[in-house]
Amino acid sequence: MENSKITDKVIEAAYDYKYLLSRGYPINASLDLVVSRYMLSKRERLLLFRCIHSSKYVKEIGGKLVCMKLNGYTLILDFYNVVISTINMLRGGEVYLCDDCVPRDLRGSKLHNDDYAYMPKALKIVTQVIEALKPKQVVAVVDRDVSHSYEHAFSLYIELKSVGINYLFELTSSPDSKIIDYSKNDYGYVVASTDSLIMMRSLRVIPLTFYIMNILKINPVYNFAWIFSSECPVCSDKFV
């Protein structure tokens, strides 16, 4: 797979990988098997890992996705997960619609030095979506180990304050665990993240990056949700 080209080989591997996962075989063993059989590259392996899941997982996530205004709910924002995804879109990076109806990319979870120039615009776009969703409050969970994390989190505070959204942020060295602590309790929380583990442990998930993809008029490189006939909520029709 070079750049945005998806070969028949990758699609066949995706079917086999999903088949194994859906029958309860371990992720790593299943991935190793299909990568070896189809002689996939590291990038193709990563694509399968991030975008293909068991049928049970996809069904469970489908039951958690909410497409609605968040009046009365607190939005728990996986800060760098959402912001880095937005920066990738702004930079013209590849985006795939995965079989669980969630857009993901293959660029990794760390900020690069040349990403920082895109941070102000990314925060404005995130603010635009959150303003439209109208949550009662936003709590951003921010990785304190990222350079300038306080400044980034505070910049979003300034943006959200300007549109009347209540906003708190927490700096932590273990953001995933902190988000899961929030999300496993039913206190009117809705989680914004594309992390599969966080999504599985959350009661409700808002596909924030899907809205961002629509605002930026980005078409996914490949639509695995369509290939596997996933029942995705039509969030774009309910976004106001």
Side-chain angles (χ1 to χ4, degrees):
M1 182 180 68
E2 296 181 1
N3 297 324
S4 60
K5 185 178 181 181
I6 300 289
T7 64
D8 291 341
K9 177 181 70 173
V10 173
I11 302 305
E12 290 176 14
Y15 273 105
D16 284 358
Y17 181 50
K18 189 176 186 71
Y19 175 90
L20 293 170
L21 294 179
S22 297
R23 278 148 186 79
Y25 288 95
I27 291 174
N28 288 336
S30 301
L31 199 52
D32 288 343
L33 179 61
V34 297
V35 166
S36 175
R37 178 182 179 185
Y38 291 97
M39 295 183 289
L40 302 182
S41 67
K42 289 182 179 179
R43 187 172 177 81
E44 289 166 340
R45 178 191 177 98
L46 181 59
L47 175 63
L48 295 189
F49 177 72
R50 291 199 174 169
C51 268
I52 307 301
H53 308 85
S54 71
S55 297
K56 179 181 178 182
Y57 168 90
V58 171
K59 183 176 181 179
E60 288 188 25
I61 294 301
K64 298 171 185 285
L65 291 175
V66 295
C67 294
M68 62 182 187
K69 288 193 175 182
L70 299 180
N71 307 71
Y73 286 97
T74 294
L75 177 65
I76 306 300
L77 179 67
D78 188 351
F79 184 85
Y80 281 115
N81 174 276
V82 171
V83 170
I84 290 175
S85 294
T86 306
I87 288 173
N88 176 69
M89 295 183 204
L90 288 172
R91 300 194 62 169
E94 295 176 353
V95 181
Y96 300 86
L97 190 62
C98 299
D99 66 353
D100 59 353
C101 308
V102 174
R104 294 188 179 90
D105 56 65
L106 307 183
R107 58 148 284 161
S109 59
K110 301 298 182 183
L111 278 171
H112 305 147
N113 289 335
D114 52 355
D115 287 333
Y116 289 94
Y118 294 87
M119 181 65 69
K121 187 171 183 180
L123 295 179
K124 287 183 181 297
I125 292 169
V126 172
T127 297
Q128 181 182 347
V129 176
I130 292 175
E131 180 187 13
L133 293 173
K134 301 187 183 304
K136 178 178 69 175
Q137 179 178 250
V138 176
V139 177
V141 180
V142 185
D143 188 345
R144 70 163 64 249
D145 298 327
V146 175
S147 297
H148 308 292
S149 56
Y150 179 86
E151 290 88 340
H152 297 156
F154 191 76
S155 294
L156 184 58
Y157 166 78
I158 297 298
E159 293 290 343
L160 289 173
K161 183 180 179 181
S162 71
V163 296
I165 301 292
N166 293 324
Y167 172 76
L168 303 172
F169 62 88
E170 296 188 32
L171 297 175
T172 175
S173 294
S174 52
D176 289 4
S177 297
K178 187 66 177 179
I179 294 167
I180 289 170
D181 285 343
Y182 274 117
S183 61
K184 66 185 180 183
N185 296 308
D186 189 9
Y187 295 125
Y189 296 145
V190 180
V191 172
S193 178
T194 65
D195 183 284
S196 298
L197 179 60
I198 290 174
M199 292 171 66
M200 271 300 293
R201 298 195 179 183
S202 301
L203 292 174
R204 289 174 291 269
V205 179
I206 187 86
L208 209 66
T209 54
F210 187 88
Y211 292 134
I212 292 168
M213 186 175 71
N214 285 339
I215 283 177
L216 295 176
K217 295 180 171 55
I218 291 173
N219 293 317
V221 170
Y222 204 81
N223 189 337
F224 287 103
W226 180 80
I227 284 292
F228 290 106
S229 302
S230 303
E231 296 182 3
C232 300
V234 189
C235 294
S236 57
D237 290 348
K238 300 179 182 179
F239 180 75
V240 180

